[in-house]
Amino acid sequence: QQPVQSPQAVILREGEDAVINCSSSKALYSVHWYRQKHGEAPVFLMILLKGGEQKGHEKISASFNEKKQQSSLYLTASQLSYSGTYFCGTVNSGGSNYKLTFGKGTLLTVNP
Amino acid sequence: NAGVTQTPKFQVLKTGQSMTLQCAQDMNHEYMSWYRQDPGMGLRLIHYSVGAGITDQGEVPNGYNVSRSTTEDFPLRLLSAAPSQTSVYFCASRRRQAGDGYTFGSGTRLTVV
């Protein structure tokens, strides 16, 4: 079952912040985040394993609330290069750690 | 390293034809997966493999077959193409370690007429 992402789309001005949410109805083992630019393949950003950790990657960070089965991606001081579609992917607990199911994506547009 | 290589990049098929989408990786990754991407649907898992000789079904396996005879190659076969299989197909691979993410190929855009 696909995780649910929100919002579906967001438009920012350069320098603004954004939060993208990902939630699942099942217990999670891990959450992946990817970014895809138009016409290109998805690119891995980060992975969060169960344990409620928070990770950072330049001005992009993420958190994982295992109890709520939710993850959030935080983009701060957005740059034009952040534009693209962001996907979360989830791996359920109790199963294999390789079956990755993606949400439908969040389209992020950063304008000058 | 070439990473994950998919061929062909573009393909047009007639309804009922069969074909194989090729995927090869040179990173010695244990796990490989096939996804299809349709507008508004995100990436949907077709089949996946945890190693040579081991495959399993994903969310949308009907109409597709896979095999994994080597660690490097994971071809996807369309048995009898249908217009509903018009999509962009991505192959992806990763190491077995839990903290690793997937590396995606550049995709194959398939049109079935």
Side-chain angles (χ1 to χ4, degrees), chain A residues 38-40, chain B residues 6-13 19-22 34 86-90 106-112:
Chain A
H38 184 68
E40 299 180 5
Chain B
Q6 290 185 238
T7 56
K9 292 193 181 303
F10 302 93
Q11 182 71 48
V12 178
L13 286 180
M19 81 160 293
T20 299
L21 307 186
Q22 301 291 345
W34 275 102
T86 294
S87 187
V88 179
Y89 292 85
F90 287 103
S106 57
T108 294
R109 183 174 294 275
L110 176 69
T111 302
V112 183

Side-chain angles (χ1 to χ4, degrees), chain B residues 10-75:
Chain B
F10 302 93
Q11 182 71 48
V12 178
L13 286 180
K14 293 183 178 179
T15 298
Q17 287 184 319
S18 62
M19 81 160 293
T20 299
L21 307 186
Q22 301 291 345
C23 176
Q25 52 92 9
D26 61 356
M27 298 172 284
N28 205 31
H29 286 175
E30 293 90 350
Y31 296 168
M32 296 186 75
S33 296
W34 275 102
Y35 291 90
R36 61 175 289 174
Q37 185 171 34
D38 305 290
M41 299 298 293
L43 295 148
R44 291 184 292 170
L45 182 63
I46 305 172
H47 285 284
Y48 58 100
S49 170
V50 298
I54 306 171
T55 64
D56 204 347
Q57 296 182 348
E59 306 163 74
V60 289
N62 292 341
Y64 307 95
N65 274 356
V66 291
S67 60
R68 184 121 179 248
S69 56
T70 67
T71 299
E72 294 78 19
D73 299 300
F74 191 41

Side-chain angles (χ1 to χ4, degrees), chain A residues 33 46 48 53-57 60-64 71-74:
Chain A
W33 285 97
M46 66 186 78
L48 301 101
E53 64 179 281
Q54 183 154 352
K55 276 198 166 183
H57 179 75
I60 301 175
S61 62
S63 63
F64 178 25
S71 177
S72 294
L73 184 71
Y74 306 94

Side-chain angles (χ1 to χ4, degrees), chain A:
Chain A
Q1 189 169 1
Q2 282 184 300
V4 177
Q5 287 186 234
S6 63
Q8 289 185 318
V10 59
I11 300 174
L12 302 175
R13 289 205 176 273
E14 211 172 356
E16 292 181 337
D17 302 339
V19 180
I20 300 172
N21 300 303
C22 176
S23 65
S24 174
S25 59
K26 299 192 175 185
L28 298 177
Y29 173 76
S30 66
V31 180
H32 294 223
W33 285 97
Y34 293 77
R35 177 171 62 205
Q36 183 181 31
K37 294 192 178 283
H38 184 68
E40 299 180 5
V43 174
F44 174 67
L45 293 176
M46 66 186 78
I47 183 173
L48 301 101
L49 303 176
K50 68 177 181 180
E53 64 179 281
Q54 183 154 352
K55 276 198 166 183
H57 179 75
E58 296 180 343
K59 294 179 182 177
I60 301 175
S61 62
S63 63
F64 178 25
N65 187 321
E66 183 186 344
K67 290 183 179 179
K68 291 186 177 181
Q69 298 153 197
Q70 294 175 346
S71 177
S72 294
L73 184 71
Y74 306 94
L75 300 104
T76 58
S78 60
Q79 305 169 12
L80 296 176
S81 62
Y82 287 3
S83 291
T85 301
Y86 289 79
F87 293 97
C88 73
T90 56
V91 177
N92 295 337
S93 287
S96 57
N97 81 334
Y98 42 82
K99 186 175 179 180
L100 184 65
T101 303
F102 285 95
K104 294 184 178 181
T106 295
L107 177 62
L108 177 73
T109 303
V110 181
N111 293 320

